[in-house]
C-alpha cells in the first residue's frame, strides 16, 4: 500500500494502480476522453492531466502510477485551462454539427466540452472534409467526426485481431482508416461493430434503419413482425437510462407493441430450434464419424471471419442458420401458410445486439426461394432505444405484456444464447439427454460461463468423453480455429462468438459496454435462465409442436431445406 | 524479380519492414511502393496490409504514388534559410518549371521539401536521391540541375 | 584557445573507411583494456565522470547504465543516430569521420552491461553515414571486434544498422524503438522506460552517438580526470554545431562551461558582413531564441533552466540583425507541424493552430487576442504533450515571449495600421 494526497485528501491505495484509479476509489472525478477501461492506456488525449508536486509539466492520471508521498492536484486553474484548450483544439478539427449527429447527448466529447464549460473556441476550424463510408449494410464511418483517440484501432487489432482499422499518415493529416483508404465493404471486416461500440463520438456508427422500419409500420401493405434477440432484454434498460443489467421482458414487449408491430416474437424460440438442429447435427457427426469438431454458426461476425480468412474451416461449421434467420424463414413459410398470408407481405424486423446481423440479413444464401430475404431489416439495441425515444415511451408508465405466439414460448437454454458459453450450455443440456436418454444431474455448466477468453469442459455422451470449448472475441477464436486447422484440436464442439462476452457485449449494444458492464449483463442472463419454467430446448412445447406439425423431426429434409445453409470462401 | 530478392535478403521478421521498403524505394526508378508490392510484402512477412500502409504513410522518404527518377529535396529549415540569399527553391522551381510536391511531365524530377539534412555548416544544401549538394549558389544550382537534365547522372 | 580535441581527434587524420587507420590511432585500445575490467568497475568510472547524455535531454549516463546492467535476459543497446534537429550535424561527422569510435563506445556499453545485440539507428537522409557505418561494421566483424567471442573473450556482440525513413520524431527514444520494430515512429507511454521494456519489449539502453563516443575517452583517462574537464554543472567536452550568419560555420569541440559568445566570436569568427547579432537559437528548432545580451551564458544544461529548456544537442544558430523574428518562428513551427507524429492530441491539433497564429504575426494581422491565444496554447502544448517533441517545440515561442516581448507588442501595434497587408 502507498499513501498519497489527492486534492489534500489522504489516499491509501495499492501500489500497482494509476492516479486515475486511485482517484476513482476515493470518488474524485478526473475527466478522461481516450481512456477506456479494458483497452490500452494510450494516453493520447491528455485530458486527464494533473499536477504532481515536484514533477515537471502536467502528467496524465490514466498512465502515471501512484507513488508513496505523491501530492496531486486535479483541478488547478492551469489544469482546467489545459483541458479546455485541448478540447478546443479537438473541436477545431471535428465536424461539430452536434444536433444532427446520432451521438447527440451520448457523445463523450460533447459532454466533456459541456462539463469543462467550453463556450467559445479560440481556434480556427481546420477540418478538411472527407468522404463518408456507408457502403456496407452494417456500419457507417464518418472520418469528419473522428478524434483519433485510437480506441477503434485497439479493439480491431488487439481484441479482434482483425487489423482493419489503422492510423494512416502522420501528424495533422493522420487518419484512422483501412488499408489504401478502402471501404469497409472491401476489407476483411467482420462488421462485429466493436469499433462502433467504443467510439466516443459519432465517427463509426451502425447504419441507422429506424426510418425504414417506421415507414413499414405505417404501410398497410405489410404485416410487420419483430423478433427480439436474447441479449437485448438484459441491455435495453441501459439504453433508455435505467440500471445496468436490468431484465426487461414484459415491459420490453409492451413498449415494442406500442411502436405498432403486428406481432412481437422472441428469437429465444428459434434459439431453442437451433439447439434441436445443431444438437442433432452434432450427434449425427459423432455417430457417423463426420467432420469434428463442430463449430457453432449463430454468430455472423465469426462466419464472416471464417469465410474471409479460414476457408478450410468451413466444413466444420454447423450448417444451421442462425436463430435470427431461422425465425425469418419460419415467419415467411410456416407462419405464412398457417395464417394464409403472402410471404412477400410479411416484413420481418429483428432487434439484435449486433451490427453484423445487419449484414447477415442481406446474405444471398439466406432468402426464401432465392428472392425474399428471411429477415428484412435489423435494428440494434441502440436503434430500438432511439425508436422508444422518438415515440416518447417511458418504461415506468407501461404494463408488462407477454410475447405473442406461436413464437413466444422459449426456455432458459435459449436465454443463455446471449452470454458467452450459453450456446454450449444449451446444447449440452439437450444433447446429453437425447444421447444418454436420461436427465442431467446438474444442468448448470458453470465452467463455460464467465469472461475467461477460452473456456472448456468435458462431458460423457454415450460411451464417449467429449471435450467442448468456448471462445469469445475473435483473437481468441483464431487460437481455437488455428488448432483445428493444424489438426491438434482436442475438441468435438466449439462455440465461437465474435464479441467479448458474447452477444451481451455485441457491437450494437448500448454505449459504455465495458467488461464490468458485460459481467452484469451476464449475471442477469443466468437469472433469466434460472427463472424459466422450461430450461432445456427439447422441452419447449412450441418447438415440439412445430416439429409435429411442420418440420417432422430435427435435420429432416424439410428442416434442412428451411433451416440450414451453406458457406463459401470470400475474397476482398 | 527484384522484390523477391529484397525480401530474401532479410530474415522473415516484421521488424525488417522499414529496411525492405527503403530498399524497394531505392531500386525502383519511380520511387514508390505499389499496392501489389504492399500485398506481397504483407504476405511474405505475415503482417496485415493495413500495417504496411500505416508505415509507408508515416515516413516521408516513402511514397505510394509514383515519383520522378530524381527526387530533389530542398531543406526548409532555419540554418539553410539564413544562408539562402538567392532562394534555392525558386531557382529549382524555375529550372524545372514545377512547384514543390510536383513531378515533371517526363517523370524525371520530383521536387519535395525535406527536414534539415544536417549540412547546416555548408548551407544552403539540397539532396538529390542519395547525393547532397552544399554551399549552393544560384549558378551552382542551375548547373547541377542542368547536369541531371542532360542525363549526366543517369 | 577554448577547444579541447578528443572526440574529434582523428577527424581528417584517418581514412574513416579503414579500420587499420583507426587501430593505428589508438583505436579499440580502450575497449581492449575494458575487456579486463568488470561491469561495476566500468560503470563506476562512468559514474565518476559525471557525464550526461549528449542527445539533448542531459540525463546522467551512469544511472541509466547501471539500471540497465541490472536487468537480466535478452537486452539491447541502441545507438541513436537519428540526428534530425535542425542546425545539428555532429553525429553525422562522428559517423562519417571516425565511425569505429562510435562502435568502440557501443562495445564498451554492451560489455559493461551484458547486452548481446545492438542497433545503430541512422536517419535515412544520411546516406553517406549509412554507407560508412555499414562498411565499418563489416570490418569490425572481420577483425573480430564484433561477433562471437570478441578478441578471444567470452563476450559476444552483434551490431546491426537500422535506417530511418524520414521522421524527426524517431529521435525520441520510444519512437525510435517503434521504428526499429518496423512500425510508425509513435512514442509509447512511460513507464515502463526503455531500460525496462524497449526494443521487442526487452530492456534497452539507448544513447546518442556522441554519448557513446565519450565512453572510450572516459575509460582512457579515468572518470575522475574526465570530471575535471568542463564546468561544475557539466563535465567533458561538447560538440557544437555552429551555423547561421557567422564567418566560420562548422563543428567545434569545446569543454562545457565556455560561453556562447566565446564560441560565436572566437571559433565562429563573429557575424558575417560586419552585421550585428539579432538573435541566437540554441539547440536547434526545439531550443530557446535569445538576444545578444544573454550570450555570456555558459554552455551547460543547468544554466539553461531559465529558458525552461536545455542546451539540446549543441546547435548554435546565429541570426544577424536583418532577420525577422516571426519569419524564424514560422520556419520553426512549419517544421514541427510537419514532424508531429499525430499520436497525442495537443501536439497533433496544437501545432497547426500555433502555425496559424504565427502566420498572423508574419502578415501583420495579429491582434492582442491572437497573442494571448498563442501564449496560452504554447504553454499548454509544452506542459501536456506526451513526448519530448511537443514538450520542447514551443521553446522558441516561449523564450521569445520572454526575451523579445517588445517585438510581439510592436507587431500587434503595426498590425492595426497594416490591416489588409
Amino acid at each position: 500500500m502507498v499513501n498519497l494526497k489527492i486534492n489534500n485528501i489522504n489516499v491509501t491505495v495499492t501500489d500497482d494502480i494509476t492516479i486515475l484509479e486511485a482517484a476513482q476509489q476515493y470518488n474524485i472525478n478526473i475527466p478522461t476522453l481516450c481512456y477506456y477501461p479494458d483497452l490500452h492506456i494510450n494516453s493520447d488525449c491528455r485530458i486527464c492531466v494533473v499536477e504532481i508536486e515536484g514533477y515537471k509539466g502536467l502528467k496524465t492520471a490514466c498512465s502515471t502510477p501512484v507513488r508513496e508521498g505523491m501530492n496531486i492536484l486535479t483541478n488547478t486553474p492551469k489544469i482546467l485551462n489545459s483541458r479546455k484548450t485541448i478540447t478546443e483544439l479537438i473541436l477545431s478539427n471535428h465536424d461539430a454539427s452536434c444536433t444532427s449527429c446520432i451521438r447527440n447527448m451520448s457523445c463523450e466529447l460533447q459532454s466533456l466540452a459541456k462539463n469543462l464549460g467550453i463556450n467559445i473556441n479560440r481556434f480556427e476550424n481546420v477540418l478538411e472534409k472527407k468522404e463518408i463510408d456507408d457502403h456496407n449494410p452494417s456500419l457507417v464511418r464518418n472520418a469528419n467526426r473522428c478524434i483519433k483517440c485510437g480506441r477503434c484501432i485497439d479493439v480491431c487489432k488487439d481484441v479482434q485481431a482483425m487489423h482493419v482499422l489503422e492510423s494512416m499518415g502522420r501528424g495533422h493529416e493522420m487518419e484512422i482508416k483501412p488499408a489504401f483508404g478502402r471501404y469497409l465493404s472491401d476489407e476483411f471486416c467482420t462488421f462485429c461493430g466493436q469499433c462502433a461500440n467504443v467510439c466516443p463520438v459519432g465517427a463509426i456508427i451502425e447504419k441507422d434503419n429506424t426510418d425504414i422500419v417506421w415507414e413499414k409500420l405505417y404501410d398497410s401493405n405489410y404485416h410487420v413482425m419483430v423478433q427480439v434477440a436474447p441479449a437485448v432484454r438484459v441491455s435495453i434498460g441501459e439504453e433508455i437510462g435505467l440500471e445496468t443489467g436490468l431484465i426487461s421482458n414484459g415491459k420490453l414487449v409492451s413498449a415494442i407493441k406500442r411502436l405498432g408491430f403486428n406481432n412481437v416474437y422472441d428469437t429465444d424460440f428459434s434459439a431453442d430450434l437451433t439447439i434441436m438442429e445443431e444438437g442433432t447435427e452434432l450427434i449425427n457427426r459423432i455417430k457417423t464419424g463426420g467432420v469434428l469438431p463442430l463449430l457453432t454458426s449463430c454468430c455472423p461476425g465469426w462466419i464472416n471471419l471464417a469465410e474471409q480468412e479460414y476457408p478450410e474451416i468451413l466444413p466444420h461449421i454447423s450448417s444451421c442458420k442462425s436463430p435470427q434467420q431461422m425465425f425469418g424463414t419460419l415467419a415467411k413459410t410456416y407462419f405464412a401458410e398457417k395464417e394464409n398470408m403472402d410471404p412477400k407481405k410479411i416484413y420481418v424486423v429483428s432487434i439484435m445486439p449486433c451490427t453484423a446481423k445487419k449484414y447477415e440479413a442481406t446474405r444471398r444464401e439466406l432468402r426464401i426461394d432465392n428472392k425474399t430475404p428471411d429477415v428484412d431489416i435489423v435494428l440494434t439495441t441502440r436503434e430500438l432505444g432511439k425508436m422508444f425515444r422518438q415515440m416518447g415511451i417511458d418504461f415506468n408508465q407501461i404494463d408488462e405484456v407477454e410475447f405473442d405466439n406461436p413464437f413466444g414460448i422459449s426456455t432458459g437454454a435459449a436465454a443463455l444464447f446471449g452470454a458467452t458459453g450459453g450456446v454450449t450450455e444449451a446444447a449440452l443440456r439437450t444433447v446429453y439427454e437425447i444421447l444418454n436418454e436420461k436427465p442431467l444431474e446438474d444442468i448448470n455448466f458453470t465452467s463455460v460461463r464467465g469472461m475467461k477468453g477460452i473456456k472448456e469442459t468435458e462431458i460423457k455422451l454415450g460411451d464417449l468423453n467429449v471435450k467442448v470449448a468456448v471462445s469469445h472475441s475473435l483473437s481468441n477464436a483464431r487460437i481455437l480455429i488455428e488448432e483445428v486447422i493444424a489438426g491438434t484440436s482436442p475438441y468435438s464442439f466449439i462455440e465461437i462468438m465474435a464479441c467479448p462476452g458474447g452477444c451481451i457485449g455485441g457491437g450494437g449494444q448500448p454505449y459504455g459496454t465495458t467488461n464490468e458492464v458485460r459481467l452484469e449483463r451476464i449475471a442477469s442472463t443466468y437469472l433469466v435462465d434460472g427463472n424459466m419454467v422450461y430450461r432445456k430446448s427439447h422441452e419447449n412445447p412450441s418447438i415440439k409442436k412445430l416439429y409435429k406439425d411442420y418440420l417432422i423431426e430435427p435435420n429432416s429434409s424439410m428442416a434442412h431445406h428451411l433451416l440450414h445453409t451453406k458457406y463459401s470462401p470470400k475474397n476482398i | 524479380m527484384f522484390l523477391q530478392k529484397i525480401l530474401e535478403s532479410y530474415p522473415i521478421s516484421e521488424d525488417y519492414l522499414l529496411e525492405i521498403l527503403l530498399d524497394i524505394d531505392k531500386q525502383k526508378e519511380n520511387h514508390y511502393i505499389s499496392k501489389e508490392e504492399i500485398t506481397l510484402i504483407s504476405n511474405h512477412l505475415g503482417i496485415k496490409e493495413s500495417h504496411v500502409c500505416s508505415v509507408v504513410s508515416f515516413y516521408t522518404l516513402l511514397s505510394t504514388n509514383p515519383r520522378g527518377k530524381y527526387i530533389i529535396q530542398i531543406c526548409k529549415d532555419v540554418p539553410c534559410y539564413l544562408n539562402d540569399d538567392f532562394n534555392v527553391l525558386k531557382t529549382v522551381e524555375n529550372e524545372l518549371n514545377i512547384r514543390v510536391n510536383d513531378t515533371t511531365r517526363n517523370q524525371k524530377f520530383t521536387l519535395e521539401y525535406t527536414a534539415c539534412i544536417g549540412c547546416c555548416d555548408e548551407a544552403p544544401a539540397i539532396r538529390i536521391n542519395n547525393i547532397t549538394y552544399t554551399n549552393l549558389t544560384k549558378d551552382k544550382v542551375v548547373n547541377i540541375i542542368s547536369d541531371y537534365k542532360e542525363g549526366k547522372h543517369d | 584557445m577554448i577547444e579541447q580535441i578528443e572526440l574529434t581527434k582523428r577527424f581528417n587524420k584517418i581514412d574513416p573507411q579503414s579500420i587499420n587507420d583507426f587501430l593505428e590511432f589508438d583505436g579499440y585500445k580502450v575497449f581492449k583494456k575494458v575487456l579486463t575490467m568488470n561491469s561495476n568497475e566500468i560503470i563506476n568510472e562512468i559514474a565518476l565522470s559525471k557525464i550526461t547524455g549528449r542527445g539533448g535531454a542531459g540525463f546522467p549516463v551512469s544511472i541509466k547504465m547501471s539500471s540497465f546492467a541490472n536487468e537480466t535476459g535478452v537486452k539491447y543497446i541502441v545507438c541513436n543516430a537519428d540526428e534530425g534537429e535542425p542546425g545539428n550535424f555532429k553525429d553525422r561527422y562522428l559517423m562519417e569521420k571516425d565511425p569505429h569510435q562510435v562502435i568502440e563506445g557501443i562495445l564498451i556499453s554492451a560489455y559493461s552491461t551484458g547486452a548481446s545485440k545492438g542497433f545503430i539507428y541512422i536517419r535515412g537522409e544520411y546516406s553517406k553515414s549509412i554507407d560508412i557505418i555499414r562498411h565499418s561494421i563489416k570490418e569490425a566483424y572481420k577483425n573480430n571486434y564484433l561477433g562471437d567471442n570478441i578478441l578471444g573473450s567470452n563476450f559476444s556482440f552483434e551490431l546491426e544498422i537500422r535506417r530511418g525513413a524520414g521522421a524527426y520524431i524517431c529521435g525520441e527514444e520510444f519512437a525510435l524503438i517503434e521504428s526499429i520494430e518496423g512500425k510508425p515512429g509513435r512514442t509509447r507511454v512511460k513507464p515502463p522506460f526503455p531500460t525496462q521494456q524497449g526494443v521487442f519489449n526487452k530492456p534497452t539502453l539507448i544513447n546518442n552517438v556522441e554519448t557513446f563516443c565519450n565512453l572510450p575517452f572516459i575509460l582512457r583517462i579515468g572518470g575522475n580526470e574526465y570530471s575535471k574537464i568542463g564546468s561544475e554543472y557539466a563535465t567533458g567536452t561538447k560538440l557544437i554545431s555552429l551555423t547561421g550568419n557567422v564567418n566560420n560555420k562548422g563543428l567545434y569541440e569545446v569543454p562545457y562551461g565556455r560561453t556562447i559568445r566565446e564560441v560565436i566570436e572566437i571559433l565562429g569568427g563573429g557575424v558575417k558582413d560586419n552585421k550585428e547579432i539579432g538573435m541566437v537559437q540554441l539547440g536547434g528548432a526545439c531550443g530557446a531564441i535569445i538576444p545578444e545580451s544573454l550570450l555570456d551564458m555558459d554552455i551547460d544544461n543547468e544554466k539553461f533552466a531559465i529558458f525552461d529548456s536545455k542546451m539540446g544537442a549543441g546547435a548554435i544558430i546565429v541570426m544577424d540583425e536583418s532577420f525577422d523574428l516571426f519569419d524564424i518562428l514560422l520556419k520553426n513551427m512549419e517544421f514541427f507541424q510537419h514532424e508531429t507524429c499525430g499520436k497525442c492530441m495537443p501536439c497533433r491539433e496544437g501545432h497547426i493552430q500555433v502555425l496559424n497564429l504565427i502566420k498572423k504575426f508574419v502578415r501583420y494581422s495579429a491582434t492582442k487576442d491572437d497573442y494571448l491565444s498563442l501564449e496560452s496554447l504554447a504553454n499548454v502544448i509544452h506542459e501536456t504533450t506526451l513526448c519530448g517533441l511537443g514538450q520542447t517545440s514551443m521553446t522558441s515561442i516561449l523564450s521569445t515571449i520572454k526575451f523579445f516581448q517588445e517585438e510581439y507588442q510592436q507587431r500587434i501595434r503595426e498590425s492595426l495600421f497594416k490591416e489588409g497587408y
Side-chain angles (χ1 to χ4, degrees), chain C residues 65 69 93 111 120 199 218 230 236 268 291 313 352 357 391 393 404 419:
Chain C
M65 274 180 92
Y93 272 68
Y111 174 76
I120 302 187
V199 179
I218 293 168
I352 192 166
L357 290 164
Q391 287 160 11
S393 65
F404 295 87
E419 211 156 349

Side-chain angles (χ1 to χ4, degrees), chain B residues 19 23 59 61 116 118 121, chain C residues 92-93 123 160 163 165 183:
Chain B
E19 291 289 317
D23 283 356
Y59 294 97
L61 294 186
C116 176
D121 54 337
Chain C
R92 182 169 69 80
Y93 272 68
R123 65 188 298 222
E160 215 177 285
R163 288 171 290 172
K183 299 172 187 163

Side-chain angles (χ1 to χ4, degrees), chain C residues 4-15:
Chain C
Q4 160 131 11
I5 305 296
E6 175 60 35
L7 268 61
T8 53
K9 66 185 174 189
R10 297 188 193 91
F11 282 23
N12 304 323
K13 293 188 179 134
I14 60 164
D15 172 3

Side-chain angles (χ1 to χ4, degrees), chain A residues 311-566:
Chain A
E312 57 277 60
I313 205 82
L314 298 179
H316 287 270
I317 301 177
S318 163
S319 62
C320 290
K321 289 182 181 177
S322 70
Q324 155 170 290
Q325 300 301 137
M326 284 193 184
F327 175 88
T329 309
L330 289 177
K332 294 188 180 183
T333 55
Y334 172 66
F335 176 85
E337 286 167 35
K338 228 174 71 158
E339 301 291 319
N340 204 12
M341 281 166 70
D342 178 359
K344 289 191 188 64
K345 297 213 162 154
I346 295 174
Y347 195 81
V348 177
V349 178
S350 310
I351 314 290
M352 293 283 142
C354 178
T355 49
K357 285 282 174 198
K358 286 175 182 276
Y359 167 81
E360 185 187 51
T362 67
R363 284 177 68 110
R364 297 186 156 271
E365 300 88 345
L366 301 174
R367 296 177 185 186
I368 315 281
D369 302 329
N370 294 323
K371 283 194 291 283
T372 321
D374 297 346
V375 171
D376 291 281
I377 204 106
V378 179
L379 301 176
T380 60
T381 312
R382 294 193 293 264
E383 287 166 275
L384 180 65
K386 180 181 172 182
M387 291 183 79
F388 289 161
R389 285 188 289 274
Q390 287 174 320
M391 184 88 187
I393 291 170
D394 179 354
F395 262 46
N396 295 320
Q397 307 288 330
I398 54 178
D399 302 329
E400 306 220 355
V401 176
E402 302 253 301
F403 279 108
D404 291 328
N405 272 322
F407 308 132
I409 293 178
S410 65
T411 69
L416 296 183
F417 269 57
T420 167
V423 174
T424 300
E425 187 163 346
L428 293 181
R429 287 180 188 176
T430 289
V431 170
Y432 180 91
E433 297 201 351
I434 291 178
L435 253 182
N436 297 0
E437 292 170 356
K438 61 175 184 190
L440 260 172
E441 274 170 34
D442 183 3
I443 65 165
N444 298 309
F445 290 83
T446 48
S447 56
V448 296
R449 296 181 181 181
M451 283 298 287
K452 199 177 153 216
I454 293 176
K455 298 164 281 189
E456 57 172 24
T457 190
E458 214 174 313
I459 188 169
K460 196 148 177 116
L461 293 180
D463 306 327
L464 293 170
N465 263 330
V466 170
K467 276 189 149 188
V468 168
V470 171
S471 76
H472 57 121
S473 91
L474 291 173
S475 54
N476 288 319
R478 287 175 190 276
I479 296 169
L480 294 180
I481 298 159
E482 278 158 24
E483 272 180 15
V484 173
I485 292 169
T488 57
S489 178
Y491 307 111
S492 300
F493 180 82
I494 301 177
E495 171 195 315
I496 297 180
M497 295 293 161
C499 292
C503 306
I504 54 90
Q509 291 283 51
Y511 295 117
T513 301
T514 60
N515 285 343
E516 203 183 324
V517 169
R518 287 186 173 97
L519 284 169
E520 292 199 46
R521 294 183 195 153
I522 288 172
S524 300
T525 300
Y526 291 106
L527 278 179
V528 173
D529 167 39
N531 289 333
M532 295 296 270
V533 180
Y534 304 108
R535 294 184 66 193
K536 299 163 193 165
S537 298
H538 56 285
E539 290 177 355
N540 182 334
S542 283
I543 293 285
K544 286 182 187 165
K545 186 169 174 346
L546 176 68
Y547 278 111
K548 194 166 150 248
D549 291 356
Y550 196 66
L551 295 171
I552 305 160
E553 60 176 4
N555 289 11
S556 69
S557 65
M558 182 70 163
H560 253 286
H561 173 63
L562 295 177
L563 306 179
H564 291 248
T565 183
K566 285 196 181 73

Side-chain angles (χ1 to χ4, degrees), chain A residues 33-34 41-46 49 56-60 63-65 67 78 81-83 85-86 89-90 92-93 122-126 146-149 166-174, chain C residues 166-169 184 186 189-191 193 308-310 337-350 352-353 356-357 360 372-373 376-377 379-387 391:
Chain A
L33 182 59
C34 68
I41 303 290
N42 289 328
S43 198
D44 286 348
C45 73
R46 322 300 290 169
V49 286
K56 237 188 123 209
L58 301 174
K59 297 283 166 218
T60 43
S63 67
T64 309
R67 288 240 177 91
K78 186 183 191 175
N81 178 55
S82 296
R83 288 177 187 153
T85 304
I86 295 167
L89 288 172
I90 298 168
S92 71
N93 192 19
R122 292 168 291 168
F123 307 117
E124 191 185 315
N125 192 288
V126 291
C146 177
I147 59 168
K148 295 128 190 169
C149 66
E166 253 299 353
S167 53
M168 301 294 169
R170 185 168 89 190
H172 195 257
E173 277 71 49
M174 185 182 97
Chain C
Y168 165 78
I169 185 64
R186 294 202 182 90
V189 176
K190 295 179 212 176
F193 294 91
D308 206 8
S309 116
K310 301 206 168 181
Q337 153 66 4
H338 185 254
E339 298 298 340
T340 168
C341 80
K343 182 174 160 63
C344 85
M345 299 194 190
C347 191
R348 183 181 70 230
E349 305 298 345
I352 192 166
Q353 299 294 350
N356 283 343
L357 290 164
K360 289 189 175 181
L372 292 173
S373 298
S376 149
L377 180 51
N379 274 306
V380 169
I381 292 174
H382 169 66
E383 292 275 353
T384 64
T385 44
L386 177 56
C387 84
Q391 287 160 11

Side-chain angles (χ1 to χ4, degrees), chain C residues 28 60 66-67 119 133 177 231 252 270 277 293 295 314 331 385 407:
Chain C
Y28 291 123
S66 50
S67 85
F119 300 93
I133 291 285
I177 285 167
S231 73
Y252 300 99
I277 291 178
S293 58
L295 295 183
K331 291 269 161 202
T385 44
E407 308 224 0

Side-chain angles (χ1 to χ4, degrees), chain A residues 61-123:
Chain A
C62 69
S63 67
T64 309
V66 290
R67 288 240 177 91
E68 179 67 35
M70 266 181 173
N71 190 1
I72 300 158
L73 294 172
T74 71
N75 212 39
T76 63
K78 186 183 191 175
I79 293 168
L80 189 59
N81 178 55
S82 296
R83 288 177 187 153
K84 285 172 82 167
T85 304
I86 295 167
T87 307
E88 284 173 74
L89 288 172
I90 298 168
L91 289 167
S92 71
N93 192 19
H94 176 71
D95 175 2
S97 48
C98 298
T99 47
S100 50
C101 176
I102 197 168
R103 295 299 298 267
N104 191 21
M105 311 288 277
S106 72
C107 170
E108 295 177 41
L109 176 60
Q110 189 187 39
S111 65
L112 178 72
K114 177 174 172 268
N115 291 340
L116 289 173
I118 306 278
N119 48 15
I120 185 176
N121 194 339
R122 292 168 291 168
F123 307 117

Side-chain angles (χ1 to χ4, degrees), chain C residues 181-222:
Chain C
E181 294 181 2
K183 299 172 187 163
R186 294 202 182 90
T187 192
R188 298 179 191 165
V189 176
K190 295 179 212 176
F193 294 91
T195 47
Q196 303 161 305
Q197 276 179 47
V199 179
F200 309 124
N201 287 323
K202 303 287 183 211
T204 300
L205 177 70
I206 176 163
N207 276 321
N208 175 259
V209 176
E210 187 184 348
T211 311
F212 282 116
C213 289
N214 267 286
L215 301 186
F217 182 24
I218 293 168
L219 287 144
R220 181 168 68 79
I221 64 171

